[in-house]
Amino acid sequence: MGGKVKIEDYNPDWVREFQQEKARIVEVLKNYSLCVEHIGSTSVKGLGAKSILDIMAGVQHLDEADMFIEPLKSIGYEFVLHKEFPERRFFRKGQWRAGTHHLHIYKYGSEQWKNQLSFRDYLRSYPDVRRQYQELKLSLAQKHPADIVGYTKAKAPFILNVIKKRTKKAT
């Protein structure tokens, strides 16, 4: 349990905030080859979201992320070990369960990398699916107002279904 679930209306400032944060990340990690993307609900125009910017960085080798801990700490990020996600490295900016930025690091081009982009792009391309997702999120926020973990787990089947649809359309 823990963490409040509050869905805000889409905020066009999220794009500008992402660009500013991306510049900070790229600057402190300038010695590394990165691809940085805006993901999550704040990256989808018209979609309400928790006001947490989700950022994804792709690296050639996931082990590189171990060298990011100190540089990212200098701009307010904390490394959070998630043993249940061995194919991702996770950094949070802000308080526990109330972060302002989440930085997800994946191997560039991996299945996880592609899935994040597929979900975002599908929601951007299909307003009806985006609307369904918005309704689900609002419903789950009411059901899990103080349980961000429960809220996130309850969204998973919808997300996986969209990724499967996107994958089928791409083949």
Side-chain angles (χ1 to χ4, degrees), residues 13 16 29-30 54 59 61 64 78-80 103-106 109-111 119-120 125 131 137 140 145 161 166-167 169:
D13 290 341
R16 180 185 47 75
L29 299 177
K30 63 184 167 209
D54 281 296
V59 294
H61 304 284
E64 291 176 68
E78 176 186 1
F79 173 67
V80 180
L103 176 60
H104 312 262
I105 299 177
Y106 295 102
S110 67
E111 181 179 349
F119 184 63
R120 178 199 68 191
S125 299
R131 198 169 24 261
K137 289 169 49 146
L140 293 174
N161 187 44
R166 176 75 177 185
T167 303
K169 285 190 181 242

Side-chain angles (χ1 to χ4, degrees), residues 85-102:
F85 299 109
E87 302 301 318
R88 177 187 79 170
R89 300 299 181 266
F90 180 75
F91 293 81
R92 180 192 67 245
K93 191 174 195 177
Q95 298 176 7
W96 179 250
R97 298 272 190 235
T100 58
H101 300 72
H102 290 167

Side-chain angles (χ1 to χ4, degrees), residues 44-100:
V44 180
K45 186 176 180 179
L47 182 61
K50 297 184 311 298
S51 63
I52 299 169
L53 284 182
D54 281 296
I55 301 166
M56 177 172 70
V59 294
Q60 292 301 311
H61 304 284
L62 200 53
D63 292 344
E64 291 176 68
D66 295 339
M67 295 178 277
F68 298 172
I69 294 172
E70 288 305 313
L72 288 171
K73 192 177 197 179
S74 74
I75 58 169
Y77 283 89
E78 176 186 1
F79 173 67
V80 180
L81 180 63
H82 284 269
K83 289 182 181 180
E84 66 273 22
F85 299 109
E87 302 301 318
R88 177 187 79 170
R89 300 299 181 266
F90 180 75
F91 293 81
R92 180 192 67 245
K93 191 174 195 177
Q95 298 176 7
W96 179 250
R97 298 272 190 235
T100 58

